[in-house]
Amino acid sequence: MTGLGPVAWPPAPISTERLVLRESEARDRAAFIELFASPEVRTYLGGPRPRDELERAVPAVPGRRPGLFVIDLDGSMIGTITLERRDAERPGRLLPDGGEAELGYMFLPVAWGHGYAAEACAAALDWFADALPGEPVVLCTQTANTPSMRLAAKLGFIEVERFEEYDAEQWFGVRTWGHGRVL
């Protein structure tokens, strides 16, 4: 993860009851293209990108960078989770200079409605808490994205503020850790 100090990347694969969080592999390329070309996935993320553009631009092993987990269900990629530093120039921050770790996720529509996002995000957040104890994690989503708002609540994020960005109202929250304390 960029700027997150002495965190070794990639970590060993993380197994949950149904999923594996792992580093990207060449076999994930088609699923990456589908994520970015999908109008459903990209509804609240700036819209889909043209498939032909993605076919040319996506590398043989996509998403191989610190902070990006592929979510694997029975040997196939169903989505991604990222834990990256939030750009300090964007609205929404806890620290005066920004740069908080931010949780992001995208799942293929076939994976929606099965609890995979909550399961995978909880595992990634647990890994992060072990790797960087006491470090806050933030999440930003459009208020119109009801499923993402429900997921944020289920994961224990609480609202810090709302603001306009990308011509839409954004919800910005932080994960609480024990005793209701916000870090």
Side-chain angles (χ1 to χ4, degrees):
M1 288 184 221
T2 305
L4 293 186
V7 177
W9 193 266
I14 300 166
S15 294
T16 70
E17 184 178 327
R18 303 177 292 172
L19 307 169
V20 176
L21 284 67
R22 61 171 173 79
E23 186 176 38
S24 176
E25 300 172 0
R27 65 185 167 126
D28 302 321
R29 188 174 187 275
F32 267 91
I33 290 170
E34 187 57 34
L35 274 176
F36 285 93
S38 169
E40 295 87 5
V41 173
R42 302 287 299 173
T43 297
Y44 302 103
L45 299 170
R49 292 186 45 200
R51 190 173 295 278
D52 61 335
E53 173 189 304
L54 291 165
E55 290 286 352
R56 287 190 304 275
V58 173
V61 182
R64 186 157 285 184
R65 67 179 193 270
L68 187 140
F69 290 101
V70 161
I71 310 309
D72 186 306
L73 173 66
D74 297 329
S76 295
M77 177 181 149
I78 61 167
T80 63
I81 291 177
T82 56
L83 283 159
E84 299 175 315
R85 291 291 178 191
R86 184 169 173 82
D87 183 350
E89 302 302 312
R90 291 185 61 203
R93 67 179 54 107
L94 297 176
L95 307 172
D97 296 329
E100 299 87 349
E102 181 174 22
L103 176 69
Y105 40 82
M106 291 192 300
F107 285 81
L108 293 169
V110 69
W112 295 358
H114 301 283
Y116 298 137
E119 185 176 329
C121 287
L125 289 165
D126 286 348
W127 169 83
F128 184 85
D130 288 343
L132 293 164
E135 175 109 16
V137 178
V138 299
L139 184 149
C140 188
T141 188
Q142 286 187 21
T143 56
N145 188 346
T146 305
S148 189
M149 296 283 292
R150 280 194 305 266
L151 178 59
K154 183 180 275 192
L155 293 171
F157 284 85
I158 61 166
E159 183 174 336
V160 173
E161 66 178 307
R162 293 183 186 209
F163 51 84
E164 288 288 318
E165 186 181 34
Y166 307 119
D167 297 323
E169 183 181 54
Q170 305 292 324
W171 181 93
F172 180 77
V174 63
R175 176 97 186 264
T176 59
W177 304 97
H179 310 298
R181 197 171 110 230
V182 176
L183 297 178

